[in-house]
Amino acid sequence: MSDGGAKEPKPPELSGIDLARQALVAAKEQARARGAAAQQKKQARRGGLRSGARADGRDPLPLGAAINRLITERGWETPAAVGGVMGRWPQLVGPEVAQHCEPQRYDEDARVLTVQCDSTAWATQLRLLAPQLVRRLNQDLGQGTVKLIKVLGPGGPSRRYGPLRAPGSTGPGDTYG
């Protein structure tokens, strides 16, 4: 049931590296499927499933290898890399900047890293350093991973006036209209 005038949203266009990743994953899946089919034929001729001297899919993997395989199969390379940057923030920006500025979130669709600073002076300083920081992050994560750093200043005090307050109240102006 679609109405003739409404257009369906187009999926976002993929960049070269994203297309290459998808092609690699698809080729690996096809090769794995061909190998599994050949293995099943061989096992059927031998009389069923047996464990042998060679490695197969049933063998245990080291934890790091299993996690890396899971990340690759699910396409989580960019989120995992950005998560690593969040953990290595002091090494990337230096201890003094890291003491006053902290990464809050990463929007994968817009490729925007949001950073909050504890003072307006540090927010201004980080805005001036943003182009250099974007360049450095893209060197670590891959070109185009971070397009923009959004710098937030310190949060203001809570807007709570007096001990008695109506639930859902937005402040003193909400009673006049």
Side-chain angles (χ1 to χ4, degrees), residues 42-108:
K42 198 188 299 184
Q43 287 173 356
R45 278 183 274 164
R46 285 192 309 194
L49 188 63
R50 295 184 195 167
S51 179
R54 293 191 183 104
D56 63 8
R58 299 174 295 153
D59 290 340
L61 289 175
L63 182 61
I67 290 174
N68 287 338
R69 188 169 83 180
L70 179 67
I71 287 172
T72 302
E73 287 173 354
R74 303 279 172 111
W76 293 339
E77 289 96 352
T78 301
V82 171
V85 165
M86 301 276 193
R88 294 181 301 136
W89 183 253
Q91 289 86 15
L92 290 171
V93 298
E96 189 176 7
V97 175
Q99 185 178 4
H100 298 282
C101 304
E102 174 181 347
Q104 297 293 314
R105 64 188 158 277
Y106 174 72
D107 182 6
E108 192 174 347

Side-chain angles (χ1 to χ4, degrees), residues 17-39:
I17 193 147
D18 293 330
L19 290 172
R21 278 192 189 121
Q22 282 185 347
L24 177 64
V25 168
K28 283 181 179 180
E29 287 176 7
Q30 290 173 352
R32 195 176 300 122
R34 284 193 305 267
Q39 186 70 22

